[in-house]
Amino acid sequence: MYIFAVFSKMFEGKQNRTPQWQARLIIVCALLSHMVRCQVRYSIPEEMVRGSLIGDLSKHLGLDIRRLKSGRARIVSEEKDCVELNADKGILIVKQRIDREELCGHASPCSFNFEMVLENPMELFSITVEILDINDNSPAFANKEITLNISEVASPGAQFILGSAVDPDVGLNALQSYSLKPSTHFTLKEQTFADGGKYVEMVLKSPLDREEEGEMFLTLTAADGGNPRRTGTVSIKVNVLDANDNAPVFSQAVYKASVLENSPKGTLVATVIATDADVGSNGQLEYYIDQLTQQNAMVFTLNPSSGEIRVSGLLDYEKTKQFQINVIAKDIGGLSKSCKVVIEVIDVNDNPPVIALTSFSNTIPEDSPQGTTVAIVNVKDLDSGQNGNVNYSIDHSLPFKIKSSLVNYYTLLTNSVLDREVVSEYNVTVTAVDKGLPSLRHNKTLRIRISDVNDNVPVFDKSEYTARILENNSPGVSIGLVHAKDEDWGQNARVSYFLEESQVGGNSIASLISINSETGLIYAVRSFDYEQIKDFEFQVKAQDGGSPSLNSNVTIKLIIQDQNDNTPHVLYPVPTSSLVAEMVPRSADVGYLVTKVVAVDMDSGQNAWLSYKLQKATDRPLFEVGLQNGEIEE
Ligand SMILES: *[C@@H]1O[C@H](CO)[C@@H](O)[C@H](O)[C@H]1NC(C)=O
Ligand SMILES: *[C@@H]1O[C@H](CO)[C@@H](O)[C@H](O)[C@H]1NC(C)=O
């Protein structure tokens, strides 16, 4: 084999489409025994348009165009069907676009062989076409976008595989480097697989904080070394995953609220609000009341999700004026924080004043001096402020007054002299009214009895009594009744009657009269004789049972009435056993006063009125007696 020549030529291609490429021509010829066999080698860039010149075969092989025609030049064993022989011009041209990457992949150099045959005489030329790489491919990533979920608590140094880009070009046109922007949190690191393949990973260099930046957008750029350089990019979206790295935070450290006592169940008192910077379950909060203050919170309930504190029991200002509750907010991850809730209970005028008797004498003597203490009362109002400020009073028309002694203690005193005989009992109502709005009141009635003192003397019904009795009465007969009344009460009013000692005609009154000390009935002790005594007076004493007793007396005039118990007595003429003779002159005329009969009667009144009558006369009535005067006439 002889080497004829080695050429080398450079083609300048069309500036616009393929600005920089080279084609090299190498011709090697060998003269064999009966035929010339030449080898031609062309180098052309890939991607030349159809019809582009590969090489001037006739020139390079020193063959005349006519020889090519007469020799019926043709290409054989060209499987790729990429080149074409223009026998008229003796040139080799591109039959169809050649893609180096398609033809050879990563193999380099990339070429294909074929033969050109001439007949008469038979000649065989071997032609090699090498396809040169042009930077017609950009590095490309498998995906347009990579999404990475990275926990915010990932520690620096953590690695995240991004994979690799592919650039089918070779040499400098192949993938050369990666870059990442922005590079605040991550750096790039190239790694090699066991099989030599390369990939890139992202390394965390500074800590993440979801609460600050929950999403990041980065761009990974792969660049080749071509001129100009081609790049491929992929967007990386980093979702920073929440970690429970934030505790709940209350909007206030101390909540202050107030609620009226007796507020109905369900009344909203306060709402605590806590927030948690974390998301999802890490930020999901539950409120509850701290065990330590649970006792205080019996009357409140806390809604675990809304943080609303509502009344659930009985609020009594008089029992508890303030509640302090610790409320804890806890996220599902277990981080917690507490706050204090101070609830003031506001007083409502729900307690009436209460009057209690501390000491009380329910009976006082009527002679108690003005200002005597009757009772000490205690007035209490459990409310506070004006609701517990109490005014007290009693009925001013009663003879009592009330005055404040100690705080909350009042003394009830008599305010004038009392008289049981006028009013024996008082109902004194003490009224206590508080100054709440509306006010509440309480009354207490003290029933005060006035006890009797023997301050009244018995008083007889009449200032003087007159009794009459017929003489010759039988002894023991009742002659009258006296009665005295005593305004006092009980023993003090129990009246007894006695005769006052006195003398009547030398006799003790007791020998004439007696009295029933209980009933006041007066009796005659003996029979009276009008002709001896016509009337007399005596005194009866009425005495009460008090100690000392009081008494009074009354005068009773007893009049003895006459009975016709005496016959008249003739005084003149003096009655003798013999006849009385009166001398009458003969000449006496009619009407001549003969004599006068004088008679008396010891009785009185009509019983003593006398009338005269002649009992025995002669045949002829010679004498007459004056009926009235006892004068006897002829
Ligand atoms: C006082 O009150 C009592 C009981 O209500 C009653 O029986 C009594 O008659 C009252 N007394 C007076 C003097 O009003
Ligand atoms: C009877 O009472 C009067 C006054 O009421 C008194 O002057 C008189 O002395 C009394 N008589 C006797 C005997 O006590």
Side-chain angles (χ1 to χ4, degrees):
M1 199 202 293
Y2 300 91
I3 296 169
F4 277 92
V6 175
F7 298 91
S8 181
K9 182 159 177 157
M10 203 163 98
F11 296 90
E12 287 296 327
K14 291 173 198 157
Q15 291 287 328
N16 54 352
R17 290 229 14 204
T18 48
Q20 275 190 329
W21 53 270
Q22 286 185 333
R24 277 205 182 83
L25 168 65
I26 298 162
I27 304 167
V28 179
C29 282
L31 188 62
L32 302 173
S33 56
H34 57 280
M35 67 175 191
V36 176
R37 191 189 165 96
C38 253
Q39 251 195 325
V40 182
R41 184 181 178 92
Y42 293 107
S43 289
I44 59 161
E46 59 176 326
E47 307 286 340
M48 290 176 76
V49 296
R50 181 179 177 170
S52 299
L53 177 70
I54 297 172
D56 190 344
L57 273 179
S58 66
K59 187 177 163 191
H60 295 143
L61 294 174
L63 295 170
D64 188 29
I65 303 290
R66 276 168 298 179
R67 169 69 185 118
L68 288 177
K69 278 192 170 165
S70 63
R72 292 176 42 217
R74 65 180 191 280
I75 286 173
V76 293
S77 69
E78 206 273 284
E79 292 128 29
K80 312 285 180 192
D81 204 21
C82 295
V83 298
E84 193 179 12
L85 179 69
N86 185 332
D88 291 341
K89 290 179 178 169
I91 56 172
L92 196 61
I93 57 170
V94 174
K95 188 178 177 189
Q96 62 172 22
R97 194 184 64 86
I98 305 165
D99 183 5
R100 192 203 68 80
E101 286 75 30
E102 193 182 303
L103 202 61
C104 305
H106 274 285
S108 179
C110 170
S111 61
F112 58 90
N113 300 312
F114 56 89
E115 275 81 37
M116 184 179 73
V117 179
L118 286 180
E119 296 167 4
N120 301 320
M122 173 86 100
E123 279 182 293
L124 192 66
F125 300 93
S126 177
I127 300 165
T128 300
V129 175
E130 185 190 355
I131 308 297
L132 299 172
D133 184 44
I134 65 164
N135 195 15
D136 61 343
N137 285 289
S138 297
F141 289 95
N143 299 313
K144 279 222 155 60
E145 193 184 271
I146 298 172
T147 303
L148 292 173
N149 294 323
I150 304 176
S151 166
E152 60 176 323
V153 290
S155 35
Q159 300 169 345
F160 308 94
I161 294 174
L162 301 176
S164 53
V166 172
D167 189 333
D169 293 328
V170 294
L172 270 183
N173 291 336
L175 178 67
Q176 299 297 318
S177 63
Y178 292 98
S179 64
L180 183 69
K181 272 183 185 161
S183 56
T184 340
H185 288 286
F186 297 96
T187 53
L188 278 181
K189 193 168 170 193
E190 263 183 72
Q191 299 282 17
T192 311
F193 287 121
D195 68 353
K198 292 201 168 181
Y199 65 95
V200 66
E201 61 184 27
M202 201 166 80
V203 180
L204 183 66
K205 70 175 181 188
S206 62
L208 301 174
D209 185 1
R210 189 203 64 80
E211 287 72 36
E212 201 175 281
E213 199 176 4
E215 282 181 333
M216 291 177 203
F217 297 93
L218 298 98
T219 306
L220 175 65
T221 305
D224 61 23
N227 190 9
R229 176 181 298 253
R230 296 184 79 122
T231 58
T233 60
V234 62
S235 301
I236 301 171
K237 183 182 177 198
V238 175
N239 290 324
V240 181
L241 298 185
D242 186 51
N244 195 22
D245 57 347
N246 286 284
V249 177
F250 277 100
S251 64
Q252 286 165 248
V254 177
Y255 291 86
K256 289 195 169 150
S258 58
V259 62
L260 288 179
E261 69 170 322
N262 304 331
S263 289
K265 286 183 186 181
T267 303
L268 181 64
V269 178
T271 305
V272 294
I273 297 169
T275 49
D276 190 306
D278 295 323
V279 291
S281 62
N282 291 333
Q284 204 172 316
L285 300 180
E286 201 176 87
Y287 302 98
Y288 60 92
I289 294 172
D290 184 16
Q291 291 294 323
L292 283 175
T293 57
Q294 191 77 52
Q295 201 88 30
N296 292 345
M298 297 286 258
V299 290
F300 298 105
T301 48
L302 173 63
N303 184 314
S305 51
S306 69
E308 288 174 343
I309 297 173
R310 289 178 186 275
V311 175
S312 65
L314 192 66
L315 285 171
D316 187 355
Y317 175 85
E318 286 67 42
K319 275 194 195 146
T320 317
K321 296 177 174 51
Q322 193 198 63
F323 291 91
Q324 293 204 0
I325 303 168
N326 288 345
V327 172
I328 297 174
K330 188 165 148 189
D331 64 27
I332 303 295
L335 294 177
S336 62
K337 178 85 184 176
S338 77
C339 73
K340 179 165 278 193
V341 182
V342 179
I343 302 168
E344 302 282 349
V345 180
I346 300 169
D347 186 41
V348 166
N349 194 19
D350 60 342
N351 287 286
V354 175
I355 301 171
L357 285 177
T358 304
S359 82
F360 173 45
S361 40
N362 58 1
T363 302
I364 55 165
E366 58 181 322
D367 62 351
S368 300
Q370 180 176 355
T372 301
T373 297
V374 179
I376 296 172
V377 294
N378 170 248
V379 179
K380 250 188 237 164
D381 191 314
L382 291 175
D383 294 319
S384 67
Q386 288 297 77
N387 292 339
N389 193 339
V390 178
N391 272 341
Y392 58 93
S393 63
I394 58 166
D395 183 351
H396 293 299
S397 64
L398 299 178
F400 295 93
K401 66 178 178 187
I402 189 163
K403 75 172 199 207
S404 170
S405 45
L406 293 165
V407 176
N408 294 339
Y409 282 90
Y410 304 94
T411 311
L412 184 68
L413 308 164
T414 59
N415 199 27
S416 71
V417 174
L418 304 172
D419 187 355
R420 190 203 65 81
E421 286 72 38
V422 178
V423 184
S424 63
E425 181 185 277
Y426 293 94
N427 282 337
V428 179
T429 300
V430 179
T431 304
V433 185
D434 66 29
K435 292 179 182 164
L437 266 176
S439 64
L440 295 174
R441 62 171 57 226
H442 183 223
N443 291 336
K444 179 129 197 145
T445 300
L446 308 185
R447 191 172 179 180
I448 300 166
R449 291 195 175 84
I450 310 301
S451 64
D452 190 46
V453 165
N454 194 19
D455 56 353
N456 284 283
V457 295
V459 174
F460 284 97
D461 294 348
K462 297 179 187 168
S463 58
E464 196 181 76
Y465 291 85
T466 303
R468 290 168 205 279
I469 187 170
L470 277 178
E471 63 175 332
N472 303 322
N473 60 293
S474 45
V477 75
S478 157
I479 53 173
L481 175 72
V482 291
H483 181 254
K485 199 176 160 204
D486 192 307
E487 292 294 334
D488 292 323
W489 183 83
Q491 279 301 109
N492 293 339
R494 193 185 159 132
V495 179
S496 300
Y497 304 93
F498 305 99
L499 282 178
E500 286 284 359
E501 182 49 40
S502 60
Q503 298 279 320
V504 176
N507 295 316
S508 164
I509 186 71
S511 62
L512 303 176
I513 295 293
S514 76
I515 189 163
N516 183 319
S517 65
E518 299 266 316
T519 60
L521 267 173
I522 300 169
Y523 303 94
V525 171
R526 66 175 188 197
S527 188
F528 293 110
D529 183 2
Y530 175 83
E531 284 70 32
Q532 273 184 6
I533 183 164
K534 292 182 174 53
D535 58 52
F536 61 90
E537 287 182 357
F538 59 95
Q539 288 191 314
V540 168
K541 181 170 80 173
Q543 179 175 311
D544 65 27
S547 175
S549 63
L550 295 174
N551 59 66
S552 62
N553 58 37
V554 75
T555 301
I556 296 142
K557 184 173 186 183
L558 182 64
I559 298 170
I560 297 156
Q561 292 179 313
D562 185 44
Q563 254 187 345
N564 200 14
D565 58 346
N566 288 286
T567 51
H569 278 274
V570 178
L571 298 179
Y572 183 88
V574 177
T576 56
S577 51
S578 57
L579 281 172
V580 175
E582 287 291 336
M583 300 301 281
V584 178
R586 264 239 181 212
S587 59
D589 290 334
V590 172
Y592 173 83
L593 180 62
V594 179
T595 189
K596 185 175 172 141
V597 177
V598 177
V600 292
D601 192 308
M602 292 302 283
D603 293 323
S604 62
Q606 286 193 322
N607 293 336
W609 290 357
L610 299 179
S611 58
Y612 302 89
K613 216 166 41 175
L614 289 178
Q615 245 179 4
K616 201 171 169 190
T618 50
D619 310 340
R620 265 201 309 149
L622 294 176
F623 300 96
E624 270 179 2
V625 64
L627 185 67
Q628 304 294 332
N629 51 20
E631 289 173 348
I632 299 170
E633 294 169 355
E634 197 183 344

